[in-house]
């Protein structure tokens, strides 16, 4: 793969840059409750040297009833300052799956106007499989100021997605499984209807990944989107269950050189909960 410090970097790249003074590494692991995994405990047991733990549920808008919604700018800035992450840093985010929740952290940094952030391709499993070091020590943190330039174009709310669904002037791309998209499989969260936003396309996020948890090449990802009927000439809105795996689609689109994409932050946790919003089922 081609290393790109603004999207995706290899384990070889990270190993070569591990001691760079302005490198900051984040463990952005997050799992659905059904997985039975504790990301913070796993981080404390073993993490890439120097990594800080990024809690997706904490660096979020706690005023919202929806899970891990985008935090207020001030909260993001204060949390990052406390973690010693700020202007001039190159950030690399990984997770305990491969390319999964790290993509959400990558997108959140992009939303806050931080361009120098990348996902570690293959994540912690690939890093460990290759014999690279881990540690269980907390890093020494020094405050660093961060300048935030919020990028409104990267996020969409329910009203904007509803308009896009009616006008069909965007491609709404759903990262959930085909069974959930069609409304055949139950949602992992209680109280949600089955189905999808009318007019959306289904690109289950695993279809963009290799068996070892790395992301497919840009050409392969492009073929996956096109096979799902996605018109890449249109602006894209990515969505999923709660705005986490949608960011994997966003990362893949960015790797294609497509910049006119945004993420529906509320995703199906919001859309599926409101009876007044229309729902499509099957492949329609």
């Amino acid at each position: 793969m081609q290393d790109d410090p603004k999207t995706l970097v290899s384990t070889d790249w990270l190993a070569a840059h591990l001691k760079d003074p302005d490198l900051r590494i984040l463990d952005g692991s997050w799992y659905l409750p059904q997985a039975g995994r504790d990301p913070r405990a796993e981080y404390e047991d073993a993490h890439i040297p120097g990594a800080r733990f990024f809690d997706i549920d904490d660096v979020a808008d706690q005023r919202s009833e929806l899970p891990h919604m985008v935090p207020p700018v001030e909260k993001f800035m204060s949390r990052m300052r406390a973690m010693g992450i700020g202007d001039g840093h190159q950030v690399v985010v990984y997770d305990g799956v491969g390319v999964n929740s790290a993509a959400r952290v990558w997108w959140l940094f992009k939303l806050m106007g931080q361009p120098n952030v990348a996902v570690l391709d293959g994540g912690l499993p690939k890093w460990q499989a290759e014999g690279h070091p881990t540690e269980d020590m907390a890093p020494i943190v020094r405050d660093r100021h961060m300048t935030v330039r919020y990028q409104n174009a990267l996020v969409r709310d329910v009203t904007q997605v509803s308009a896009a669904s009616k006008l069909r002037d965007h491609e709404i791309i759903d990262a959930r499984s085909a069974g959930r998209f069609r409304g055949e499989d139950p949602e992992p969260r209680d109280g949600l209807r089955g189905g999808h936003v009318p007019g959306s396309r289904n690109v289950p996020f695993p279809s963009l990944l290799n068996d070892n948890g790395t992301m497919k090449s840009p050409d392969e990802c492009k073929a996956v989107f096109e096979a799902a009927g996605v018109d890449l000439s249109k602006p894209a809105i990515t969505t999923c269950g709660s705005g986490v795996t949608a960011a994997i689609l966003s990362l893949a689109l960015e790797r294609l050189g497509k910049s006119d994409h945004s993420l529906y932050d509320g995703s199906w946790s919001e859309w599926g909960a409101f009876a007044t919003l229309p729902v499509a089922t099957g492949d329609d």
Side-chain angles (χ1 to χ4, degrees):
M1 64 159 284
Q2 183 177 354
D3 292 307
D4 177 9
K6 296 183 186 297
T7 56
L8 196 69
V9 295
S10 65
T11 48
D12 288 343
W13 185 97
L14 182 58
H17 291 270
L18 196 58
K19 296 189 183 300
D20 287 5
D22 281 329
L23 178 72
R24 294 293 180 268
I25 305 170
L26 297 177
D27 183 331
S29 300
W30 174 90
Y31 309 105
L32 283 166
Q34 298 91 309
R37 297 179 65 173
D38 183 336
R40 186 179 289 276
E42 291 182 19
Y43 162 82
E44 292 173 352
D45 183 57
H47 53 263
I48 295 175
R52 287 95 159 125
F53 183 71
F54 187 104
D55 188 338
I56 286 175
D57 287 323
D58 175 64
V59 189
D61 187 354
Q62 306 293 349
R63 302 166 301 182
S64 174
E65 295 181 358
L66 297 169
H68 39 253
M69 293 286 282
V70 168
V73 167
E74 296 77 14
K75 181 174 184 178
F76 183 83
M77 290 173 63
S78 67
R79 288 290 194 275
M80 293 309 100
R81 180 167 189 151
M83 293 169 68
I85 300 170
D87 294 343
H89 284 149
Q90 169 66 50
V91 177
V92 174
V93 194
Y94 72 87
D95 60 54
V97 174
V99 175
N100 196 272
S101 56
R104 168 72 185 196
V105 182
W106 168 84
W107 172 80
L108 188 56
F109 269 79
K110 294 288 188 183
L111 180 65
M112 298 295 174
Q114 305 298 310
N116 299 317
V117 57
V119 170
L120 179 63
D121 200 22
L124 187 62
K126 188 170 188 288
W127 179 265
Q128 291 180 308
E130 294 170 348
H132 295 299
T134 59
E135 64 183 18
D136 57 7
M137 299 179 296
I140 298 171
V141 174
R142 297 179 179 86
D143 280 7
R144 181 94 159 230
H145 175 73
M146 176 180 285
T147 304
V148 168
R149 299 176 182 88
Y150 193 82
Q151 306 294 305
N152 284 298
L154 286 179
V155 66
R156 291 290 179 265
D157 63 22
V158 65
T159 302
Q160 293 166 315
V161 175
S162 180
S165 173
K166 292 173 184 174
L167 296 173
R168 305 294 165 100
D169 56 352
H170 289 66
E171 286 285 37
I172 303 171
I173 317 173
D174 193 322
R176 293 175 301 151
S177 67
R180 290 171 65 190
F181 180 83
R182 296 184 186 122
E184 297 167 354
D185 295 342
E187 286 295 311
R189 295 175 177 85
D190 293 335
L192 300 182
R193 298 169 295 165
H196 56 269
V197 178
S200 55
R201 307 287 187 178
N202 188 208
V203 178
F205 73 87
S207 65
L208 297 169
L209 306 176
N210 297 306
D211 291 342
N212 66 351
T214 58
M215 181 165 275
K216 292 179 178 178
S217 71
D219 285 345
E220 290 172 314
C221 288
K222 183 179 180 182
V224 170
F225 283 117
E226 290 177 341
V230 175
D231 182 350
L232 291 169
S233 69
K234 287 184 178 182
I237 299 172
T238 62
T239 183
C240 61
S242 64
V244 174
T245 58
I248 301 173
L249 273 58
S250 300
L251 177 63
L253 291 170
E254 189 80 8
R255 293 274 291 168
L256 298 183
K258 185 174 177 60
S259 58
D260 55 344
H261 60 83
S262 53
L263 185 148
Y264 174 24
D265 196 25
S267 282
W268 200 251
S269 293
E270 181 175 41
W271 193 281
F274 290 102
T276 55
L277 294 171
V279 167
T281 55
D283 292 316
D284 294 338

